Amino acid sequence: MIASAHLSVGAFSGVLVQRYLPPECGIVERVAAGFCVGVISHILTDAVPHQEYSVAGYGLGLVLLLEISAVFTLVFYPPIQIAIALVLFSAMSGAAFPDLLGMVHTYLVRWPLLDLLGGALHVFHGKMPVGFRVSFFVQTVISALAIFFVRSKLV
């Protein structure tokens, strides 16, 4: 999946899991639950047939910067309560975590453990590739619906 799909579904998951936590849960538990469901959302969204980025290096960095900026703007603007923002940020971070491990392994340090963990978190990755147009459309729709859900629950 592309970053915007992972981040938006991570935010969606962070909002959704809060419904199932006991009311007495504090902010630390809510943030931790957000991160955990974010990681799970990454694994599950990778099960959706998709195509990956066709750029690498600085080009990929620019694409990621634009995507992340757009999703963060749509999720966090206008400003929301700090506790809710922390939960959403944590869930989005969890959703990005598996790919972050892979990027650290690819571009920074070649630790075999990072590669092993990244591979384990990408269990469904690349099982059914589809064309770019279909993949982009499906991921854009998923992202838009997830962000719409998140914003509708924050008002």
Side-chain angles (χ1 to χ4, degrees):
M1 285 283 171
I2 57 176
S4 54
H6 281 309
L7 293 172
S8 57
V9 173
F12 168 86
S13 302
V15 169
L16 199 58
V17 75
Q18 301 307 309
R19 292 180 174 183
Y20 300 101
L21 295 176
E24 61 273 6
C25 276
I27 187 67
V28 173
E29 292 90 354
R30 293 184 179 282
V31 167
F35 185 86
C36 292
V37 297
V39 171
I40 292 168
S41 78
H42 183 105
I43 295 167
L44 295 177
T45 54
D46 270 351
V48 175
H50 64 281
Q51 184 169 333
E52 295 299 321
Y53 296 100
S54 58
V55 296
Y58 290 119
L60 177 59
L62 179 61
V63 169
L64 289 174
L65 178 64
L66 293 172
E67 273 192 78
I68 292 167
S69 298
V71 173
F72 269 64
T73 300
L74 292 170
V75 169
F76 293 109
Y77 188 82
I80 56 179
Q81 294 177 357
I82 190 69
I84 295 169
L86 285 172
V87 169
L88 289 176
F89 181 78
S90 177
M92 292 167 76
S93 297
F97 185 69
D99 285 339
L100 179 63
L101 289 176
M103 292 180 81
V104 167
H105 176 69
T106 301
Y107 295 108
L108 297 176
V109 292
R110 306 290 288 175
W111 293 342
L113 183 60
L114 284 179
D115 192 39
L116 183 67
L117 183 56
L121 292 173
H122 286 99
V123 65
F124 296 121
H125 211 246
K127 298 297 183 203
M128 293 178 59
V130 294
F132 175 77
R133 288 185 180 141
V134 171
S135 179
F136 183 77
F137 176 75
V138 168
Q139 292 182 70
T140 301
V141 168
I142 288 170
S143 299
L145 290 173
I147 289 171
F148 177 78
F149 175 84
V150 169
R151 291 308 307 181
S152 69
K153 296 302 175 188
L154 298 179
V155 225

